[in-house]
Amino acid sequence: MIFERFVDPGLSQHSFVVGCQGSGEIAVIDPQRDVDVYLDYAERNGYRITRVMDTHIHADFASGARELADKTGARLLLSGHDAGEHFQVQFPHEDLVEGDGIQLGNVRIETRHVPGHTPEHLMFVVYDGARSGEDPIAIITGDFLFVGSLGRPDLLGEEAKQALARQMFHSVREKLADLPDGVEVHPGHGAGSACGAGMAGRPVSTLGYERRTNPYLDPSLDEDAFVHQLLNGLPPIPDFYPRNKRINSEGPKAVIPLPGMTALDPDAVSSRAAAGEVTVIDLRDPLAFGGGHIPGALGIGIDGGFANWAGWVTPDDTPIVLVDRNGDPAVIEQAVRQLVRTGRDYIEGFVRGGMAAYASAGLPLATLAQLDAPAARTAIADGRLRLVDVRAVSEFEAGHAEAAVNQPVADTRTGIPGIDKAEPVAVVCGSGYRSTVAGSILQRLGYHQVYNVVGGMQAWNRVDASGEGDRRAA
């Protein structure tokens, strides 16, 4: 049996290859947008991609299913339970419905309809016929069942979420009941995804362990208690999710070969950025961004939560230009892949030679001032500086600086209520990554005196009440 998991760490997204060694046939389930990773895998191992499947119409990423089927001639199998729903697949495919089976040599995949996260959601039950034709070895659960959690039911809006939550209750009670404890659970996401709340860090579990430890699988919960628990404490919905739902229902366009791999002259980028004709995303770390960047650039480091934040806060109405330290094609390609996975296809290219070449050309630079935690605390206490905590509401409520106001990163796109653009303002997050994103957004909006608290709340909390602290740690 062939069973492989492909992980996109930026979105905590899992896709799967399932197939039979004997026949060489494989199915790809929930493929990411840049499908060359599956084409390369199949060619390297001598396999044939004969089926491409999605568990549902995804929101957090743009699916590669259509392009992969087009490039391989594989059968494109998508949920047939979308009829009459708000989002329906609008391009040619074959319907999969409850009870359908797919045979790949000795491997059999059976389909179960598990509405709740979305109305059309499917789960795939996998049998390794070389070992047992009756006992399943694994379930590929998409955004239905996670390790330690379930998929959120609110992505289609307030009107739909109560009904979907109740459908989820029945899916959990009815579509898992006959499966053995030993079956492996392979979800579509791990911890860090916004498609559910409270996911555990491990990428795989067993159904028996989930029955004992997953709070939503507690058999003592009645339907009302289940719905209340499922809807309580959900994280904010990134506003690129509806865009991806639309892209995936209408049919994502091909992105192989990758866009954005064109080197652009630094002078041209400078003038176009100044005119608002492009959005520059700076891929360097927070300190490098703070020390000098292209005016108006967004500081979204490639080594942090790049895919999520770039998908969330990058404007829709201008093409993207990327810049790193020195124009490294590998870094640029990594960023492009993560952008197209979130439906950000409009990438013109990258700055030739990176910020090193840009600075050497004597072109305009902006800075994002960096304050260590002791200096920030002193300035705030003296009334010389306002503090904005850009962490999520739940993080803020768990503990924050007394003087801080809370404005999560994505919400800074509309500014900070009650703080004038001429007023000095410091931004703080957990470690300094998100506050750099937020600080760059505020600078784009015209805030004139923005400071980033180096080390974030981790450094802030190490400073004692006298204002003295470990400046090295900050």
Side-chain angles (χ1 to χ4, degrees):
M1 180 182 178
I2 301 162
F3 196 103
E4 297 282 351
R5 178 191 303 108
F6 292 74
V7 179
D8 172 8
L11 294 170
S12 298
Q13 186 254 331
H14 304 160
S15 55
F16 298 90
V17 167
V18 180
C20 175
Q21 287 276 3
S23 69
E25 295 178 88
I26 58 174
V28 182
I29 299 171
D30 289 341
Q32 63 194 42
R33 186 79 176 284
D34 42 327
V35 299
D36 53 341
V37 297
Y38 311 106
L39 298 172
D40 293 345
Y41 171 83
E43 182 178 6
R44 189 168 61 248
N45 291 283
Y47 301 145
R48 293 177 293 114
I49 300 174
T50 62
R51 312 288 197 285
V52 179
M53 300 138 71
D54 269 341
T55 53
H56 64 294
I57 299 173
H58 301 282
D60 62 304
F61 70 99
S63 170
R66 184 186 190 186
E67 182 173 0
L68 186 57
D70 287 345
K71 288 188 178 299
T72 60
R75 294 168 61 188
L76 179 59
L77 308 175
L78 305 175
S79 177
H81 295 281
D82 60 338
E85 299 296 343
H86 183 70
F87 289 100
Q88 303 176 58
V89 178
Q90 300 171 34
F91 51 91
H93 66 282
E94 298 178 42
D95 281 346
L96 273 180
V97 297
E98 173 80 21
D100 281 349
I102 299 139
Q103 197 72 37
L104 302 163
N106 284 326
V107 173
R108 185 171 88 257
I109 303 173
E110 292 185 354
T111 302
R112 296 192 182 188
H113 180 215
V114 286
H117 176 64
T118 65
E120 80 288 348
H121 203 295
L122 302 176
M123 176 176 71
F124 299 119
V125 184
V126 182
Y127 296 80
D128 181 1
R131 301 184 65 187
S132 172
E134 297 181 358
D135 298 310
I137 190 170
I139 49 177
I140 296 175
T141 57
D143 292 17
F144 163 49
L145 173 61
F146 295 126
V147 178
S149 188
L150 295 177
R152 63 190 303 164
D154 63 330
L155 295 183
L156 296 182
E158 288 295 312
E159 292 183 2
K161 72 178 186 181
Q162 285 285 340
L164 283 170
R166 294 186 183 280
Q167 288 180 11
M168 181 70 87
F169 174 81
H170 291 282
S171 292
V172 167
R173 293 297 174 90
E174 297 165 13
K175 300 302 175 70
L176 299 174
D178 65 323
L179 295 172
D181 280 348
V183 71
E184 295 176 357
V185 175
H186 293 271
H189 295 287
S193 169
C195 288
M199 297 181 206
R202 297 187 68 244
V204 63
S205 185
T206 65
L207 187 54
Y209 191 74
E210 293 306 300
R211 283 171 172 151
R212 291 180 63 87
T213 63
N214 190 317
Y216 303 100
L217 270 58
D218 181 352
S220 69
L221 290 174
D222 64 20
E223 185 170 335
D224 288 338
F226 174 93
V227 168
H228 174 78
Q229 183 166 299
L230 186 61
L231 295 176
N232 186 43
L234 292 171
I237 301 173
D239 56 17
F240 66 89
Y241 277 22
R243 181 182 71 242
N244 284 341
K245 294 287 281 189
R246 185 179 66 255
I247 289 171
N248 288 329
S249 62
E250 294 175 354
K253 68 180 184 181
V255 292
I256 300 297
L258 291 171
M261 299 306 296
T262 302
L264 304 174
D265 183 74
D267 290 276
V269 172
S270 177
S271 61
R272 295 191 67 203
E277 297 172 357
V278 296
T279 297
V280 177
I281 299 180
D282 192 316
L283 305 172
R284 298 173 301 153
D285 64 77
L287 289 178
F289 179 85
H293 56 266
I294 298 172
L298 291 171
I300 312 177
I302 192 65
D303 292 329
F306 176 78
N308 181 65
W309 294 115
W312 202 339
V313 305
T314 305
D316 288 324
D317 55 355
T318 54
I320 294 168
V321 172
L322 300 168
V323 63
D324 70 337
R325 189 175 300 277
N326 55 16
D328 184 345
V331 175
I332 300 301
E333 180 179 334
Q334 180 185 357
V336 168
R337 287 184 181 276
Q338 294 193 48
L339 284 168
V340 299
R341 291 171 193 169
T342 64
R344 295 289 191 193
D345 304 347
Y346 199 6
I347 312 165
E348 282 203 1
F350 63 96
V351 177
R352 180 186 291 111
M355 280 304 299
Y358 182 95
S360 295
L363 295 166
L365 287 170
T367 60
L368 176 60
Q370 309 289 304
L371 274 182
D372 66 17
R377 290 179 68 131
T378 299
I380 292 163
D382 291 346
R384 294 181 283 114
L385 194 62
R386 299 285 297 276
L387 181 64
V388 178
D389 190 323
V390 299
R391 296 176 298 162
V393 173
S394 59
E395 294 174 275
F396 182 81
E397 290 177 346
H400 60 269
E402 184 176 353
V405 297
N406 185 216
Q407 186 88 340
V409 175
D411 295 340
T412 62
R413 290 174 296 175
T414 57
I416 311 297
I419 297 181
D420 188 86
K421 290 183 178 179
E423 190 174 355
V425 58
V427 285
V428 67
C429 65
S431 64
Y433 181 91
R434 286 175 289 175
S435 56
T436 299
V437 179
S440 67
I441 292 171
L442 294 176
Q443 287 185 323
R444 282 172 62 89
L445 291 174
Y447 283 77
H448 303 306
Q449 300 183 70
V450 183
Y451 299 85
N452 181 43
V453 179
V454 180
M457 289 303 297
Q458 295 175 17
W460 185 278
N461 291 330
R462 285 194 291 266
V463 180
D464 63 32
S466 68
E468 296 300 322
D470 185 350
R471 290 178 178 267
R472 293 170 301 170

